[in-house]
Amino acid sequence: MTDSKYFTTTKKGEIFELKAELNSDKKEKKKEAVKKVIASMTVGKDVSALFPDVVNCMQTDNLELKKLVYLYLMNYAKSQPDMAIMAVNTFVKDCEDPNPLIRALAVRTMGCIRVDKITEYLCEPLRKCLKDEDPYVRKTAAVCVAKLHDINAQLVEDQGFLDTLKDLISDSNPMVVANAVAALSEIAESHPNSNLLDLNPQSINKLLTALNECTEWGQIFILDCLANYAPRDDRESQSICERVTPRLSHANSAVVLSAVKVLMKFMEMLPKDLDYYGTLLKKLAPPLVTLLSAEPELQYVALRNINLIVQKRPEILKHEMKVFFVKYNDPIYVKLEKLDIMIRLASQANIAQVLAELKEYATEVDVDFVRKAVRAIGRCAIKVEQSAERCVSTLLDLIQTKVNYVVQEAIVVIKDIFRKYPNKYESVIATLCENLDSLDEPEARAAMIWIVGEYAERIDNADELLESFLEGFHDESTQVQLQLLTAIVKLFLKKPTETQELVQQVLSLATQDSDNPDLRDRGYIYWRLLSTDPVAAKEVVLAEKPLISEETDLIEPTLLEELICHIGTLASVYHKPPSAFVEGSRGVMHKRLPARTGSGESTESPDVGTIAGGSGTETAPSIIPSQGDLLGDLLNLDLAPPTTTGPPPPTSGMQMGGMDLLGGGLDSLLGGDIGGSAAMGAGFGAVPAVMPASLNAPMGGGLGDLFDLGGGVGMPLGAYIPPKTVWLPAMKAKGLEISGTFARRAGVIQMELTLTNKAMSVMTDFAIQFNRNSFGLAPAGPLQVLSPLSPNQTIEVSLPLSTVGPVMKMEPLNNLQVAVKNNIDVFYFSCQYPISMLFVEDGKMERQVFLATWKDIPNENESQFQIKDCHLNSDAASNKLQASNIFTIAKRTVEGQDMLYMSIKLSNGIWVLAELRVQTGNPNYTDLEISVKCRAPEVSQCVFQCCEAVLKN
Amino acid sequence: MIGGLFIYNHKGEVLISRVYRDDIGRHAVDAFRVNVIHARQQVRSPVTNIARTSFFHVKRSNIWLAAVTKQNVNAAMVFEFLYKMCDVMAAYFGKISEENIKNNFVLIYELLDEILDFGYPQNSETGALKTFITQQGIKGQTKEEQSQITSQVTGQIGWRREGIKYRRNELFLDVLESVNLLMSPQGQVLSAHVSGRVVMKSYLSGMPECKFGMNDKIVIDKAGKGGVTDDVAKSTTGKQSIAIDDCTFNQCVRLSKFDSERSISFIPPDGEYELMRYRTTKDIILPFRVIPLVREVGRTKLEVKVVIKSNFKPSLLAQKIEVRIPTPLNTSGVQVICMKGKAKYKASENAIVWKIKRMAGMKESQISAEIELLPTNDKKKWARPPISMNFEVPFAPSGLKVRYLKVFESKLNYSDHDVIKWVRYIGRSGIYETRC
């Protein structure tokens, strides 16, 4: 007999054929047709149109055919409620059948038909069946009450079925008892407050008796129900435990787990000094271990539960470490769970074995598993202090494998080891730093940054390392950004002199250019802390860290208790309370262990990070100089370190307190006591070390007049424009020659190009594009070549440029890569623009601001240059420079030297300050000296070149 | 409880779909197919939650069985049920394959209707089920037969029907053990355990009461205390008894009696069944010792030498010995020399497979191989999977001995002496691995 043929009929018009067959006179043919219908139903075809024909087949004494028709009815009755009525009579009749199997079948099926009219007719037969003489019918009727309750709870209550069901708990047949218990338990779940199950010592006794006699499934129902009972006292608790313990030897793992649940729960009530308590603990271990020889899916369920049990009562399995060793052929989900438990069971006694195992696992194939193994090694180090050293060396070995994800995972755990054992394993930092480039996961990057920040004082190039991360700050994940911010602030507090620039950058990146409120908030907090009270900042940022817990990933105690009450169920597999994944009212009732001891309410941690006052936060962005765009890119330029002048400022804590650690931008934010001119003199006196030496000279009222000099003399001579040079020779560009230069005219940067066609054919369709560059130069419009360029023709084009394009640091800084396209091809060339193109017209600084800024920029940022053979007096020089937007703010004459103080502002908001010294007394001495100071020292070289070019032309 | 049960073929086409609860709709069938069967990566968990619906699945060859629920069900029970479902189907029509399922779909629906009611598992003993659900349709039953069926299905002894008669009362008892080992390259036992099963085939008339005894340390120590002095007991029984870590029993065994008296008494099902499972970890006889020696010669060559030593009575013979030596993925060629048996390099399995048909106890054999490697620039080192071994020995590595199996049938006229009993011990390798 093969039924597979029913699956293959997919002809058109088969419904009609089936209809005919269903109405056939031959019984065999009818049965065949119903089978075909069921097969179609299974694969998802809609055969509801055949409803009346199938129902007609119901009146039969052939049980097999009847069962098939019932199956069909259960599926389609809901969609055809009116027709389903046709079946009622047969059901009612079948419920009176002398054959108990047919009576049970009828009542079982009726309960599955969710149509109101049928349900009404169900009540009477159900009532009879609940009291049927045959246990098979009674056990089926018991379940039917639960079905009916699911359809119409009120009806069940009104008809008094619940009481009948309760009576069945005392039935003589164990299977009836088990099903009644199952049905009542489920109904009770949706009525949390009803006393439906009414468990008392007498009914518990009945259940425990039935437990010995019923099927494996029945035992599960009863045990699960028992677990909800709260024993009156420890003696009752013990006697129930004694009667449940034999179930631990059952072959069915679910029986075992449910028994474990009851025991774990009732054990809570037993006094710990009781002998029986110890015996019970000992009895629990072997069955739990045996569960691990079950099929893999059950092993998984068991392991998830053991994970809970080990957290609740570690003593049960503490000697059973070996059984959790991973086998090569275990499915991955079993491996991962075993690993989890191994870590929980790791102790001084077994650590050597565990470590050897973990090292073995770290070379396996599955990435997740390997990662977890590496992480486990770290957790062992934290848990068992004696093993820490061995763990660290194991991790170092693993890092040497250079397998990317192993390295990253190792770094993450080493961070935790550093937390746990501060100042113990720094020697490994060097090895870690070697792997900086391979870190591409946020967690690993964040961990590495944390390590660098934490040990900044011992890492010589900590600033370089952190700077390298800063480059792509905005592309990093929040985790990394936050860590980077903190690490740089730590670094700054430890080495303030060299890292001021860096901290400025990161603060402005975090506060101005980030959309992330957490990042901004943290940025502002640091900023304010640093500017108001650096001592406090030190205390906050470099505070002693609380010890990290030995155990990680522990389930929160109240949840753990609830999950223990759900051992064996889905909740224990997911490690979530049922309310997290069950819809509706079912199972949302929170279960608790009885007589809980010492699980105090955890105190809520106060909200951290409330920011005082909104005003500062709001105004800050406008005051802080916006340098963010450029700096990130400039940082990694390999410029020669700028020569420093003057001694580095002292860095003792005392002085730090007095000094404003941050740039001028913030001064005004804080009330600007330096900005006011009245305080100027005092300000100078206080910090002589960081001022240019020459400014120490007395500054009388005359100085004020001199300050205005810039404005008076500044008759524009026309900015310096370098002569055109050939950028793209015709040889290289199929006949197109391009020469050009840059100019700044009326505040607009222009690229002036001369295009010459040296080829034999006409050129058309010109277009231009720039590569990303240091200052974001980009064409502000299309390249305007209106007419085709004939052979040997030359045209001049002027292309306006904007500075809002994408930014990328270039080498040299003022390098620009250009692509020009025409109808022939695309050509590439690069050219260098004079940085003076970027000097904006409003680059004249207020005198006070100039002084303050000069003071604030660290001396390391000052560069000195000489311009030889320049026959200019100071006024001429000043005029020339002003034409290129290099503004003279003040001029002084000291000992035959004219000193010009000048300011420049770049298009991206960077200020450059310069001091030009011109020898006036000695006509033979024609060299000019220039000192340039800027927060981004990288631009100094360009600025100097530019000044030289301007002055010499 | 279980809301629905689906069976799929390897393509994800549904072969059987039975819904028990209203909250499980047709879309659940598709959700599992899309998210689990058709998912690209390996299955990471046998329990999957998709849109607040939980799916439990097991696989048998390329057939997927999935149970679905929206409630917080007993997860262990669901898996036990799925396994049981597989057993029942196998008992009815053999191998669980797409063809067999399609051929028997009406039967499967009938079974599912019987063994799962509203998602509650019901009696699923094949012995009982076969009395009223058959592949040939329902037989005509007399009233007596009907009530006998129902009382058996719901009764205390649901696994055995009354009125069984045999002309020859016979009993076959197999002690089947699988010995598991994980050994370090230096020969240190990292973990070793025996998981054993006592499988019985009973052809006994009536409702016999059986009692099974073995050399369980606890029982023997107890007996020793009761009788002669402890010293004598130890010297006579001494090593003969074994410490059983844990055991589980077929549902026919009276657990409460075992718990109180540690005696194993039961009314056996008819035919073949598993009486008990047990696990031991102490004093295990490891039938073979594997001594690996792997030497890397430069970057393109490996030299492997493996010695196996048999460790049991010289009069006994081990059979079906197979040693599997993993080779790196970049192996280009292998040369093998072995003293005994046949060895072959199987490229598709990345292993050298060395087979020996028979080997007596206290012997030693050796294989050496030269493995040529292709140079790779793969940074990751070869993981060196362990060397695994398969074998079969005619004794129980745990040391378990059957002391007696007594049969009492008070109503019929046969006694324990009339029953023909056969006992056999087979020790097989489970996961028997030595790291190299």
Side-chain angles (χ1 to χ4, degrees):
Chain A
M1 182 184 90
T2 65
D3 287 346
S4 58
K5 58 177 184 282
Y6 303 116
F7 281 88
T8 54
T9 51
T10 49
K11 292 172 290 186
K12 252 192 170 177
E14 66 169 316
I15 296 276
F16 290 103
E17 269 179 40
L18 282 173
K19 214 179 176 78
E21 285 173 40
L22 285 169
N23 291 315
S24 155
D25 295 333
K26 286 180 193 154
K27 270 190 185 171
E28 267 314 297
K29 207 157 193 184
K30 264 192 188 179
K31 203 160 98 183
E32 296 291 285
V34 178
K35 281 187 183 178
K36 279 183 202 165
V37 172
I38 301 286
S40 303
M41 195 174 83
T42 298
V43 296
K45 277 186 228 161
D46 184 16
V47 283
S48 58
L50 297 168
F51 199 90
D53 310 284
V54 177
V55 173
N56 275 337
C57 305
M58 195 171 160
Q59 288 270 15
T60 173
D61 42 10
N62 184 321
L63 198 56
E64 196 187 8
L65 180 57
K66 200 184 265 288
K67 283 184 176 176
L68 288 172
V69 175
Y70 281 178
L71 192 62
Y72 178 90
L73 266 176
M74 285 187 264
N75 257 302
Y76 284 113
K78 221 173 148 191
S79 59
Q80 311 259 344
D82 296 330
M83 302 239 237
I85 294 295
M86 291 160 50
V88 166
N89 271 336
T90 321
F91 278 130
V92 175
K93 218 176 90 197
D94 280 357
C95 287
E96 307 277 344
D97 198 278
N99 185 342
L101 292 172
I102 292 188
R103 292 202 297 278
L105 179 65
V107 78
R108 185 163 70 208
T109 312
M110 260 178 112
C112 294
I113 297 176
R114 304 175 66 89
V115 173
D116 287 343
K117 282 174 192 151
I118 298 229
T119 329
E120 283 167 33
Y121 285 98
L122 173 62
C123 291
E124 276 322 299
L126 177 58
R127 199 186 312 281
K128 267 186 213 154
C129 288
L130 280 168
K131 299 197 165 138
D132 200 286
E133 52 169 21
D134 194 294
Y136 185 79
V137 180
R138 288 202 302 277
K139 72 111 186 166
T140 310
V143 175
C144 191
V145 176
K147 291 178 187 168
L148 191 58
H149 186 270
D150 193 41
I151 303 169
N152 190 340
Q154 195 56 47
L155 185 71
V156 171
E157 275 174 53
D158 295 347
Q159 297 278 332
F161 285 140
L162 292 181
D163 295 324
T164 324
L165 199 54
K166 275 193 217 166
D167 293 342
L168 288 183
I169 291 190
S170 317
D171 199 279
S172 58
N173 184 293
M175 197 162 181
V176 178
V177 177
N179 276 2
V181 166
L184 274 175
S185 300
E186 192 173 338
I187 294 171
E189 261 181 33
S190 52
H191 294 274
N193 297 319
S194 72
N195 198 19
L196 259 184
L197 270 166
D198 187 30
L199 296 175
N200 53 49
Q202 290 75 41
S203 59
I204 290 293
N205 198 29
K206 275 180 208 153
L207 290 183
L208 285 168
T209 312
L211 189 61
N212 288 325
E213 294 163 351
C214 60
T215 64
E216 47 195 332
W217 316 117
Q219 296 186 21
I220 299 169
F221 303 150
I222 291 176
L223 287 168
D224 283 353
C225 173
L226 271 178
N228 290 325
Y229 176 63
R232 310 264 147 107
D233 51 30
D234 53 325
R235 280 177 55 199
E236 190 186 3
S237 187
Q238 180 177 345
S239 83
I240 295 175
C241 286
E242 279 166 357
R243 292 178 72 179
V244 167
T245 320
R247 298 298 120 198
L248 293 175
S249 303
H250 203 286
N252 187 314
S253 309
V255 175
V256 176
L257 266 179
S258 290
V260 168
K261 166 164 60 190
V262 175
L263 296 173
M264 282 292 287
K265 215 179 152 182
F266 291 2
M267 206 159 44
E268 286 290 299
M269 293 186 71
L270 300 178
K272 292 206 173 178
D273 46 1
L274 197 70
D275 284 348
Y276 181 70
Y277 179 83
T279 320
L280 196 53
L281 275 184
K282 267 186 217 137
K283 277 192 174 172
L284 275 171
L288 287 174
V289 173
T290 300
L291 290 176
L292 297 184
S293 46
E295 290 84 346
E297 292 87 2
L298 267 174
Q299 279 187 51
Y300 174 73
V301 173
L303 285 164
R304 292 293 284 174
N305 279 287
I306 288 171
N307 199 327
L308 298 173
I309 292 167
V310 166
Q311 287 183 57
K312 181 74 190 156
R313 297 192 178 276
E315 62 271 33
I316 295 178
L317 288 167
K318 67 179 172 197
H319 298 302
E320 304 289 347
M321 172 61 92
K322 277 187 179 178
V323 298
F324 298 102
F325 284 179
V326 168
K327 291 178 191 146
Y328 193 72
N329 293 326
D330 280 336
I332 183 67
Y333 49 81
V334 168
K335 284 185 177 176
L336 292 173
E337 294 306 319
K338 280 187 174 175
L339 201 48
D340 247 355
I341 294 165
M342 280 175 68
I343 299 160
R344 296 210 191 282
L345 291 179
S347 67
Q348 203 184 330
N350 56 26
I351 195 73
Q353 270 186 326
V354 173
L355 263 184
E357 281 293 308
L358 292 176
K359 205 175 169 183
E360 219 32 74
Y361 304 161
T363 59
E364 279 227 31
V365 188
D366 189 281
V367 176
D368 282 351
F369 180 61
V370 171
R371 282 171 176 279
K372 204 162 184 175
V374 175
R375 206 162 271 225
I377 296 172
R379 279 162 73 177
C380 286
I382 289 163
K383 215 176 152 184
V384 186
E385 185 161 1
Q386 293 80 353
S387 76
E389 200 156 339
R390 225 176 324 167
C391 293
V392 171
S393 78
T394 308
L395 288 170
L396 282 181
D397 288 351
L398 290 172
I399 287 176
Q400 299 302 349
T401 62
K402 302 279 178 199
V403 179
N404 189 285
Y405 53 86
V406 173
V407 173
Q408 310 211 40
E409 210 61 47
I411 286 182
V412 171
V413 292
I414 286 180
K415 176 205 70 183
D416 289 341
I417 295 176
F418 281 164
R419 272 296 303 275
K420 172 82 181 182
Y421 311 109
N423 306 321
K424 222 171 156 189
Y425 299 107
E426 286 82 83
S427 51
V428 310
I429 292 176
T431 319
L432 302 186
C433 290
E434 284 165 25
N435 292 286
L436 215 57
D437 298 334
S438 62
L439 309 181
D440 53 14
E441 289 158 19
E443 204 182 353
R445 287 175 82 86
M448 192 63 218
I449 291 168
W450 183 88
I451 293 171
V452 174
E454 191 64 18
Y455 293 95
E457 67 272 32
R458 309 186 198 192
I459 307 173
D460 294 336
N461 60 343
D463 49 344
E464 282 170 37
L465 294 177
L466 292 175
E467 234 176 295
S468 69
F469 281 103
L470 210 52
E471 221 171 282
F473 188 76
H474 290 298
D475 301 328
E476 299 282 3
S477 73
T478 310
Q479 187 184 16
V480 180
Q481 290 176 329
L482 286 170
Q483 206 49 261
L484 194 52
L485 175 61
T486 306
I488 291 180
V489 172
K490 278 183 192 164
L491 170 69
F492 174 66
L493 289 169
K494 289 173 178 175
K495 298 184 184 171
T497 49
E498 306 131 53
T499 56
Q500 199 165 2
E501 191 99 7
L502 200 59
V503 80
Q504 286 266 0
Q505 284 171 32
V506 78
L507 287 176
S508 79
L509 280 172
T511 51
Q512 283 178 282
D513 304 326
S514 170
D515 295 332
N516 185 315
D518 288 344
L519 188 61
R520 278 206 310 266
D521 285 353
R522 195 185 283 191
Y524 281 125
I525 290 170
Y526 284 147
W527 201 319
R528 288 168 145 256
L529 261 176
L530 290 175
S531 50
T532 46
D533 191 351
V535 177
K538 246 189 163 165
E539 276 168 20
V540 172
V541 180
L542 302 179
E544 189 114 319
K545 278 165 279 296
L547 270 187
I548 56 170
S549 145
E550 292 186 357
E551 297 285 346
T552 33
D553 306 338
L554 278 184
I555 294 175
E556 190 264 324
T558 34
L559 176 61
L560 181 61
E561 297 209 337
E562 187 178 355
L563 293 180
I564 290 286
C565 299
H566 287 293
I567 282 177
T569 69
L570 264 181
S572 71
V573 174
Y574 292 146
H575 289 185
K576 284 179 190 162
S579 52
F581 59 90
V582 174
E583 274 166 8
S585 58
R586 270 203 186 112
V588 290
M589 202 170 25
H590 287 282
K591 294 189 179 176
R592 284 280 165 90
L593 288 179
R596 287 182 299 131
T597 47
S599 69
E601 298 296 311
S602 59
T603 48
E604 269 188 32
S605 58
D607 264 6
V608 192
T610 36
I611 299 159
S615 63
T617 326
E618 279 156 28
T619 51
S622 57
I623 296 164
I624 298 157
S626 58
Q627 16 175 264
D629 285 346
L630 171 66
L631 286 182
D633 298 292
L634 288 175
L635 286 172
N636 256 9
L637 288 180
D638 292 320
L639 292 177
T643 49
T644 53
T645 59
T651 54
S652 75
M654 279 292 291
Q655 286 238 344
M656 268 173 60
M659 258 162 48
D660 182 8
L661 293 169
L662 290 167
L666 214 81
D667 294 338
S668 28
L669 207 162
L670 302 167
D673 58 335
I674 298 169
S677 57
M680 215 166 73
F684 279 30
V687 275
V690 288
M691 290 298 291
S694 50
L695 278 182
N696 277 339
M699 299 176 285
L703 198 62
D705 299 338
L706 290 172
F707 272 145
D708 259 350
L709 176 137
V713 190
M715 291 307 294
L717 301 170
Y720 162 67
I721 299 169
K724 279 188 179 173
T725 49
V726 175
W727 285 337
L728 184 68
M731 295 277 288
K732 282 190 178 173
K734 300 182 181 169
L736 176 67
E737 187 184 88
I738 301 179
S739 55
T741 187
F742 293 87
R744 188 179 181 95
R745 295 200 165 93
V748 179
I749 307 166
Q750 295 198 308
M751 187 181 199
E752 307 198 324
L753 298 161
T754 303
L755 307 178
T756 308
N757 185 351
K758 295 194 170 172
M760 305 300 287
S761 59
V762 177
M763 292 179 182
T764 55
D765 305 331
F766 284 93
I768 193 163
Q769 237 176 9
F770 294 175
N771 198 356
R772 294 198 284 173
N773 53 73
S774 314
F775 294 91
L777 283 176
L783 187 62
Q784 302 278 350
V785 184
L786 296 174
S787 50
L789 196 59
S790 320
N792 276 325
Q793 195 191 353
T794 297
I795 55 161
E796 307 270 333
V797 195
S798 181
L799 177 72
L801 304 182
S802 71
T803 53
V804 294
V807 173
M808 184 179 79
K809 64 161 185 234
M810 298 296 294
E811 178 62 29
L813 202 58
N814 56 346
N815 196 20
L816 180 66
Q817 294 176 333
V818 183
V820 171
K821 195 187 94 173
N822 62 14
N823 58 332
I824 295 162
D825 205 347
V826 183
F827 312 106
Y828 302 93
F829 63 89
S830 65
C831 54
Q832 295 184 6
Y833 47 91
I835 202 165
S836 58
M837 294 307 114
L838 303 167
F839 299 169
V840 297
E841 281 68 23
D842 62 346
K844 187 166 182 180
M845 216 180 223
E846 289 292 311
R847 284 170 299 183
Q848 295 94 330
V849 179
F850 179 88
L851 289 170
T853 313
W854 183 277
K855 184 191 77 175
D856 280 334
I857 299 176
N859 282 358
E860 305 92 270
N861 286 10
E862 183 171 332
S863 318
Q864 295 206 341
F865 306 95
Q866 279 202 332
I867 303 172
K868 297 202 187 279
D869 298 325
C870 184
H871 304 275
L872 284 175
N873 65 25
S874 55
D875 287 348
S878 175
N879 282 350
K880 271 197 159 185
L881 290 169
Q882 178 139 6
S884 295
N885 292 338
I886 304 168
F887 299 97
T888 306
I889 294 170
K891 178 187 166 187
R892 285 187 327 118
T893 309
V894 177
E895 293 165 6
Q897 265 194 340
D898 279 350
M899 312 254 206
L900 297 176
Y901 298 101
M902 297 173 298
S903 72
I904 302 162
K905 187 182 172 191
L906 294 180
S907 56
N908 56 9
I910 292 187
W911 287 92
V912 183
L913 310 186
E915 182 196 57
L916 183 70
R917 286 187 287 277
V918 187
Q919 300 287 345
T920 48
N922 184 356
N924 296 328
Y925 194 73
T926 54
D927 293 356
L928 305 183
E929 279 179 31
I930 185 164
S931 304
V932 178
K933 245 184 159 183
C934 176
R935 288 217 173 81
E938 296 83 355
V939 301
S940 303
Q941 183 74 27
C942 289
V943 169
F944 159 71
Q945 284 167 354
C946 182
C947 289
E948 188 175 29
V950 170
L951 290 170
K952 286 193 169 175
N953 284 284
Chain B
M1 284 303 123
I2 297 172
L5 207 142
F6 309 130
I7 302 180
Y8 302 85
N9 66 8
H10 66 288
K11 285 185 253 170
E13 290 164 354
V14 61
L15 305 176
I16 297 286
S17 142
R18 176 76 160 94
V19 173
Y20 294 94
R21 295 280 175 128
D22 201 39
D23 53 4
I24 301 300
R26 182 88 202 167
H27 57 271
V29 183
D30 302 322
F32 182 77
R33 173 182 30 244
V34 171
N35 289 289
V36 181
I37 301 182
H38 290 173
R40 289 219 184 123
Q41 76 270 47
Q42 200 194 345
V43 175
R44 304 301 277 195
S45 160
V47 185
T48 321
N49 193 312
I50 307 164
R52 293 194 150 228
T53 308
S54 298
F55 294 81
F56 300 77
H57 76 263
V58 300
K59 256 189 107 176
R60 288 290 180 269
S61 65
N62 55 12
I63 296 295
W64 299 74
L65 283 92
V68 196
T69 184
K70 284 204 160 190
Q71 290 174 290
N72 181 30
V73 296
N74 188 320
M77 183 187 79
V78 176
F79 280 123
E80 283 284 4
F81 177 79
L82 286 173
Y83 301 143
K84 186 62 126 199
M85 170 83 201
C86 292
D87 292 347
V88 170
M89 288 198 291
Y92 269 97
F93 53 76
K95 193 174 171 276
I96 295 174
S97 64
E98 180 171 353
E99 205 194 346
N100 279 345
I101 288 174
K102 280 186 169 173
N103 281 339
N104 293 285
F105 84 97
V106 173
L107 170 76
I108 294 173
Y109 275 123
E110 209 176 317
L111 285 170
L112 280 176
D113 200 41
E114 187 58 45
I115 60 179
L116 209 52
D117 190 4
F118 200 44
Y120 299 116
Q122 303 292 306
N123 192 331
S124 41
E125 289 304 310
T126 34
L129 289 172
K130 277 190 170 170
T131 58
F132 67 107
I133 297 176
T134 65
Q135 272 162 304
Q136 278 73 47
I138 282 89
K139 287 178 281 185
Q141 293 146 338
T142 63
K143 200 157 183 213
E144 289 72 43
E145 278 171 340
Q146 285 162 6
S147 71
Q148 202 190 318
I149 288 169
T150 59
S151 75
Q152 195 205 328
V153 171
T154 60
Q156 282 186 35
I157 308 163
W159 52 88
R160 187 180 181 92
R161 64 190 166 90
E162 286 196 49
I164 297 171
K165 279 202 182 89
Y166 287 101
R167 266 180 53 217
R168 223 155 86 114
N169 287 302
E170 226 172 349
L171 243 177
F172 297 86
L173 210 141
D174 285 349
V175 176
L176 305 173
E177 293 195 340
S178 83
V179 50
N180 298 276
L181 170 73
L182 184 62
M183 193 175 255
S184 78
Q186 293 75 35
Q188 184 195 359
V189 177
L190 295 174
S191 75
H193 74 271
V194 168
S195 57
R197 304 188 301 145
V198 178
V199 175
M200 276 180 88
K201 264 182 237 166
S202 64
Y203 304 105
L204 302 170
S205 312
M207 285 298 222
E209 176 78 39
C210 298
K211 210 173 166 191
F212 174 68
M214 53 187 179
N215 58 341
D216 177 1
K217 197 164 187 274
I218 297 174
V219 177
I220 288 177
D221 286 359
K222 229 192 239 170
K225 266 176 206 159
V228 267
T229 57
D230 280 2
D231 290 340
V232 179
K234 256 181 205 157
S235 64
T236 50
T237 55
K239 275 184 181 172
Q240 312 268 304
S241 68
I242 62 160
I244 292 176
D245 286 31
D246 189 36
C247 46
T248 59
F249 296 99
N250 184 287
Q251 60 169 325
C252 66
V253 175
R254 293 184 187 89
L255 293 180
S256 41
K257 213 160 181 193
F258 177 74
D259 194 55
S260 53
E261 301 163 26
R262 220 170 159 89
S263 75
I264 302 162
S265 60
F266 54 97
I267 295 172
D270 195 40
E272 186 172 337
Y273 61 96
E274 186 181 289
L275 177 69
M276 73 177 279
R277 275 177 190 236
Y278 57 92
R279 188 167 46 81
T280 71
T281 47
K282 288 193 188 74
D283 304 321
I284 293 169
I285 307 157
L286 295 170
F288 284 95
R289 165 89 201 272
V290 176
I291 304 155
L293 201 78
V294 180
R295 210 160 66 91
E296 287 178 33
V297 188
R299 296 197 53 189
T300 56
K301 205 169 145 191
L302 271 183
E303 281 181 9
V304 181
K305 198 175 109 179
V306 176
V307 180
I308 60 167
K309 285 183 178 171
S310 58
N311 175 36
F312 45 87
K313 268 191 250 168
S315 58
L316 298 175
L317 273 181
Q319 285 183 309
K320 300 176 190 167
I321 301 149
E322 186 184 293
V323 181
R324 191 167 276 265
I325 305 160
T327 56
L329 296 174
N330 56 335
T331 301
S332 60
V334 175
Q335 280 164 333
V336 209
I337 310 163
C338 56
M339 289 152 54
K340 235 184 144 188
K342 281 180 188 162
K344 232 185 219 170
Y345 165 60
K346 293 196 174 169
S348 59
E349 297 165 38
N350 289 311
I352 299 167
V353 180
W354 177 26
K355 287 183 179 169
I356 304 170
K357 273 188 188 149
R358 258 176 235 100
M359 188 166 170
M362 308 314 273
K363 288 264 163 53
E364 188 176 313
S365 191
Q366 181 183 324
I367 184 173
S368 48
E370 273 186 25
I371 303 171
E372 305 279 340
L373 302 176
L374 292 169
T376 60
N377 42 13
D378 194 2
K379 268 190 195 160
K380 202 171 183 251
K381 262 177 67 194
W382 176 47
R384 281 204 187 181
I387 295 177
S388 59
M389 219 190 146
N390 289 315
F391 54 78
E392 198 179 294
V393 288
F395 61 89
S398 69
L400 182 132
K401 292 259 156 43
V402 176
R403 289 171 60 219
Y404 56 83
L405 179 66
K406 291 176 194 153
V407 181
F408 311 95
E409 167 58 51
S410 47
K411 286 179 195 157
L412 300 175
N413 57 348
Y414 70 93
S415 69
D416 187 36
H417 300 289
D418 304 326
V419 180
I420 306 159
K421 299 169 192 166
W422 306 85
V423 180
R424 177 164 70 152
Y425 298 92
I426 301 173
R428 292 199 181 96
S429 53
I431 295 164
Y432 204 84
E433 294 177 338
T434 307
R435 288 183 178 154
C436 57

